[in-house]
Structure formats: structure tokens, C-alpha cells
Amino acid sequence: DQQVKQNSPSLSVQEGRISILNCDYTNSMFDYFLWYKKYPAEGPTFLISISSIKDKNEDGRFTVFLNKSAKHLSLHIVPSQPGDSAVYFCAGGGADGLTFGKGTHLIIQP
Amino acid sequence: EPEVTQTPSHQVTQMGQEVILRCVPISNHLYFYWYRQILGQKVEFLVSFYNNEISEKSEIFDDQFSVERPDGSNFTLKIRSTKLEDSAMYFCASSERFLVGVGANVLTFGAGSRLTVL
């Protein structure tokens, strides 16, 4: 039962362009959503979050958009930098804790 | 910056053997978690721990698994009799408060312990 789906296992974006990572969910009970970033041989690190009552949250180059009616959220990174190359996990959070997606490997090309 | 540390970084074991994975959470955090990620699959919740007892556990966390906080700093995950399908990266995490609401209640993860069961 995949409550959180990241359908793109990988995404390649040119440096300086916008990266858009997508996430779909099925559990309407999630209170908030988070994005984590993971480099090889490291644990996931928190990137940005959004409450289920908001539709946008921005932090520097990172913006998360939430479309509750479509049960869809996306992470925008602009401009993309080489250090952004990593695996990005979307997670839904609620009373039962966090449910993660499988992740999307973002590759920033020079 | 405070961090969660995990040992060992990689353990290879024979099927049926007991394994203990160790974690040192951030010192002022009160909630502790274990997650795992089988290669190519999503990060899955195993268990959360607070006030010296399990607060939540998933279906994965069956009788073969146990957690303990043997002293004031370590948080361990024990797999009593490992199976091939236990091969995964195991992540420990901690948080100041339980995961309700946005913002400060984010998890801080360790770098993970890779378990390979042969």
C-alpha cells in the first residue's frame, strides 16, 4: 500500500534551471508533508515542510506546493546547483508518524 | 551541529544470527525511531520509542525485533534471528517532540547501518 508515491525514480536537470520533484499521496489524513534530501552514505536530512492547510511554502531556492484536491505536492528548486544532486524523499506526516515515498534521484548536469 | 551517530556502518551476518545495531541520538531529544530502507525501495517506519517504551510500531516490527535504551545515551535495535529479507539500510532518528505538526518536530537521521544477511 503506497500511501506516498514518487513516480519518477530519477530526474536530470541542467545547472541553473528549475528542478521539479513530484509526489502523490492517497492518505487524506496527513497533517503535513516534508521533503528530505539524502546524499550517498548519509542519512536523510530535513529540507522543507508544509502544513496541509497551506498551499505553498518557500525557503530560499526551495518551494513546496500542495494541491490537496489532487493529493499532489511538488518541490521546486530554482536555480538548481550541482550540490542539489541527491535523492529526495517526500513524506506525509500525521498521528501515526511519517510515511515516506521511494525517493527521486535528482542529477544536476553542468 | 548535533548529530545522530550509528554503529556499525556496515554489518555482514549469516542468516539466523542475532544482530544489534546501535544508535546515539541527540542528547536533548526524547523520541527515538528506527526506519529501514531495502535497496531500491522506500524508507519504512519500524518503531518509535519514548519514555523507555515503544510508542508505535509497524507490521514489519515483529517478534524478531526489539529495541532498548540500555543507558542514558544508546538506543539499540536487535534482530534476534536474521533472515535474508532483513538485508537493508537501517536508519536511527530522534526528535525533540513526537511528530505532530510542522516545523520543529522534524526527525534528525543518522547515516545508517547497512545490514547484509547471507
Side-chain angles (χ1 to χ4, degrees):
Chain A
D1 174 27
Q2 280 194 68
Q3 295 187 46
V4 177
K5 296 182 196 175
Q6 292 178 259
N7 291 319
S8 299
S10 68
L11 174 69
S12 187
V13 174
Q14 208 165 13
E15 182 179 353
R17 299 284 184 107
I18 183 170
S19 295
I20 301 176
L21 297 129
N22 292 304
C23 179
D24 297 295
Y25 63 95
T26 57
N27 186 348
S28 56
M29 301 301 289
F30 287 137
D31 296 319
Y32 57 96
F33 301 89
L34 307 97
W35 284 93
Y36 278 83
K37 175 180 178 180
K38 184 184 178 305
Y39 293 118
E42 294 184 15
T45 55
F46 171 73
L47 192 57
I48 192 169
S49 61
I50 187 167
S51 165
S52 62
I53 62 171
K54 305 275 190 182
D55 55 18
K56 179 182 174 181
N57 187 28
E58 192 171 350
D59 183 3
R61 296 186 298 115
F62 303 92
T63 304
V64 56
F65 295 93
L66 175 62
N67 182 335
K68 280 192 76 174
S69 60
K71 291 194 172 69
H72 176 84
L73 65 154
S74 60
L75 174 68
H76 293 212
I77 307 172
V78 55
S80 300
Q81 298 174 354
D84 296 330
S85 292
V87 176
Y88 289 78
F89 292 101
C90 168
D96 296 331
L98 292 185
T99 303
F100 285 87
K102 285 189 178 184
T104 296
H105 185 192
L106 177 64
I107 302 159
I108 305 301
Q109 297 189 331
Chain B
E1 177 144 352
E3 57 181 27
V4 175
T5 56
Q6 289 186 243
T7 54
S9 56
H10 188 193
Q11 177 149 3
V12 181
T13 190
Q14 295 289 326
M15 193 168 56
Q17 294 295 305
E18 176 183 283
V19 158
I20 297 176
L21 304 177
R22 292 183 167 79
C23 170
V24 179
I26 292 173
S27 60
N28 66 333
H29 284 185
L30 300 177
Y31 294 86
F32 315 114
Y33 311 83
W34 283 100
Y35 286 80
R36 78 172 185 190
Q37 185 183 23
I38 296 171
L39 188 64
Q41 298 187 26
K42 64 180 179 179
V43 175
E44 299 173 296
F45 169 72
L46 293 178
V47 66
S48 60
F49 191 86
Y50 168 71
N51 200 27
N52 283 320
E53 60 183 31
I54 290 172
S55 47
E56 300 278 346
K57 62 181 181 178
S58 71
E59 291 176 355
I60 303 167
F61 195 88
D62 61 21
D63 293 342
Q64 294 297 320
F65 291 88
S66 62
V67 287
E68 197 176 38
R69 190 153 160 84
D71 53 43
S73 60
N74 288 285
F75 178 51
T76 62
L77 174 70
K78 183 192 290 186
I79 308 174
R80 191 149 31 111
S81 175
T82 50
K83 304 188 283 286
L84 294 176
E85 53 265 38
D86 293 328
S87 294
M89 181 72 91
Y90 288 80
F91 292 104
C92 173
S94 67
S95 64
E96 283 184 74
R97 287 169 282 170
F98 191 60
L99 296 171
V100 287
V102 178
N105 304 332
V106 296
L107 299 179
T108 302
F109 283 89
S113 294
R114 179 168 296 286
L115 175 64
T116 302
V117 182
L118 302 176

